Amino acid sequence: MVREDGKRNFALRDSDGTEESVFSGNTPRQAALKAARRLEPAPSEDDAEMTELRLREKGTSKVHIYDGWAWEETAPDDKPDWMPGEITEANVSKKGIEHLDE
């Protein structure tokens, strides 16, 4: 379901089918990137382990499946004062879409 501002809601599904977190974004990838930033970050992108992220689009039976990984990185020199020196970066790679039979 698309909200008035154009964003859609995606529920992060656990392996047992429970949904505890909801991420919003204009695209499924945008929501997946938000979810990936919550993963335990590795010291570098090369050391980061991929984790499968399953995001069900609210109001539909579509589950978008991504591999996500996160890592720590030094904040840019022109960062705002409130930003910490180390930030979490993330990336995702789409694996496909499943349709639930529920």
Side-chain angles (χ1 to χ4, degrees):
M1 303 286 293
V2 180
R3 300 186 326 201
E4 286 183 19
D5 60 2
K7 294 187 188 272
R8 299 182 289 179
N9 291 323
F10 299 89
L12 183 63
R13 292 177 65 90
D14 291 334
S15 56
D16 62 0
T18 59
E19 300 174 351
E20 297 196 10
S21 300
V22 176
F23 299 92
S24 62
N26 292 324
T27 64
R29 184 176 189 275
Q30 189 176 38
L33 284 167
K34 290 178 182 181
R37 288 201 48 205
R38 301 267 180 103
L39 297 172
E40 186 65 38
S44 70
E45 185 174 10
D46 293 334
D47 296 335
E49 289 188 27
M50 288 188 182
T51 302
E52 185 176 86
L53 303 170
R54 301 174 72 81
L55 295 164
R56 183 182 63 82
E57 188 169 350
K58 293 284 208 159
T60 72
S61 62
K62 286 200 261 184
V63 178
H64 300 269
I65 305 166
Y66 288 88
D67 277 332
W69 60 99
W71 67 96
E72 290 281 324
E73 201 165 277
T74 304
D77 293 335
D78 60 348
K79 70 177 180 66
D81 293 338
W82 53 264
M83 186 181 284
E86 289 287 316
I87 58 173
T88 301
E89 291 281 344
N91 205 353
V92 294
S93 174
K94 188 146 192 178
K95 292 169 68 175
I97 297 176
E98 281 182 6
H99 294 273
L100 298 176
D101 296 331
E102 297 174 8

